[in-house]
Amino acid sequence: MSHTAHIRSHRKPRRSASTIAMRAGVAGGVLSTLAVAGASGSANAAEPVTQTLELPTLTADLAAQVAQSADVTQQAAASYELQAERDAAAAQAAKQAKADLAEAKKKAAEAKEKAQEAARKDAAERAARSAERATLSASVDTGSSDSSSGGTGGSVSSTSTATGSAAAVVSFVQAQIGDAYVSGGTGPNSWDCSGLVQAAFKQVNIDLPRVSQAQSTAGTQVSLSNLQPGDILYWGGAGSAYHVGVYVGDGMFVGAQNSSTGVVMKPLSYDPPSGAVRVL
């Protein structure tokens, strides 16, 4: 055995071909990694460009949201404006209704006052004619016993002295005694006051107006103390009469009085007329 057998050698061992190849592979891998890292670095360096490209999209979304918010605000403002207009219209309507009510009350009060004045005037006219009516009652034969016992009762018999057309008128109205009174009635079995008078004069081809107001001015005004058979009697003012009848002579008249009595013949004292007109 050599005396140097146990002494380690300090010489570097020889590298085998496999070792060299492995190292070369490692070196290549390192270079590849560096290359990839470099590429990644280049890619990362381009990222600001990508973010800059996405900025317009974010800005457009924000603008859309702002526009939508503006639309909502505008709609809310329009709604408030509409509500304000409705409130103003309601207030105006309430104000107008209050004014209309006040005007209606005023007109109603005026109408009531006019009606009361008309009633007072009519009463005064009746009082002024009382003397004339008293003279008439004293000058004609009113059948005082009948009027005192039947002033509110049945008809009183009378013998008319009428002749000619007047006789025809008198005969017609006397023939209707006992018929019913119906407002607006024109016969043949029910009448109102002016309907009966109109039908009576139609028998002698005289066309009278339909209503009592017009019939009270249809002929010549005559005094109640100078009546003749066939004269038209009226109650109320001339031109504003509310009732008419026919004078049949002997201080009697025939008229469609009311729904309780119907067509009756009564003395003038039963319901003294206001005036008379003569058409025959």
Side-chain angles (χ1 to χ4, degrees), residues 93-107:
K95 182 179 179 180
Q96 186 61 43
K98 184 177 181 180
D100 291 344
L101 179 60
E103 183 66 18
K105 289 182 177 180
K106 180 181 178 181
K107 289 183 177 180

Side-chain angles (χ1 to χ4, degrees), residues 174-191:
Q174 287 180 330
Q176 314 312 314
I177 294 174
D179 284 355
Y181 174 92
V182 176
S183 179
T186 56
N189 299 313
S190 61
W191 313 85

Side-chain angles (χ1 to χ4, degrees), residues 54-133:
E54 291 177 356
L55 184 60
T57 302
L58 294 175
T59 303
D61 291 342
L62 180 59
Q65 292 177 1
V66 171
Q68 183 178 6
S69 177
D71 289 341
V72 172
T73 302
Q74 185 175 4
Q75 291 176 2
S79 178
Y80 292 145
E81 183 178 3
L82 178 60
Q83 185 61 43
E85 292 176 353
R86 290 175 177 174
D87 293 343
Q92 181 63 28
K95 182 179 179 180
Q96 186 61 43
K98 184 177 181 180
D100 291 344
L101 179 60
E103 183 66 18
K105 289 182 177 180
K106 180 181 178 181
K107 289 183 177 180
E110 291 175 351
K112 182 178 180 180
E113 184 177 354
K114 288 181 179 179
Q116 292 174 344
E117 180 62 25
R120 288 192 294 267
K121 184 178 180 181
D122 184 66
E125 289 178 353
R126 287 178 177 272
R129 289 192 296 268
S130 61
E132 185 177 2
R133 291 171 181 170

Side-chain angles (χ1 to χ4, degrees), residues 27 33 47 51 64-65 85 110 118 147 158 183 208 217 240 251:
T33 300
E47 280 184 4
Q51 292 174 354
Q65 292 177 1
E85 292 176 353
E110 291 175 351
S147 62
S158 173
S183 179
L208 290 179
T217 59
S240 60

Side-chain angles (χ1 to χ4, degrees), residues 135-156:
T135 301
L136 176 63
S137 297
S139 64
V140 298
D141 181 11
T142 59
S144 58
S145 61
D146 290 332
S147 62
S148 61
S149 62
T152 57
S155 301
V156 180

Side-chain angles (χ1 to χ4, degrees), residues 12-13 31 48 62 65 96 99 106 108-110 118 133 143 159 166 180 184 187 221 232 238 248-251 273-274:
K12 293 180 180 180
L31 292 175
L62 180 59
Q65 292 177 1
Q96 186 61 43
K106 180 181 178 181
E110 291 175 351
R133 291 171 181 170
T159 301
Q221 296 287 327
I232 299 174
V248 296
D250 296 333
S274 305

Side-chain angles (χ1 to χ4, degrees), residues 178-215:
D179 284 355
Y181 174 92
V182 176
S183 179
T186 56
N189 299 313
S190 61
W191 313 85
D192 64 11
C193 63
S194 56
L196 176 63
V197 173
Q198 183 186 50
F201 280 86
K202 195 170 184 179
Q203 305 306 307
V204 294
N205 299 318
I206 294 178
D207 292 327
L208 290 179
R210 173 65 183 86
V211 295
S212 59
Q213 291 89 340
Q215 289 178 2

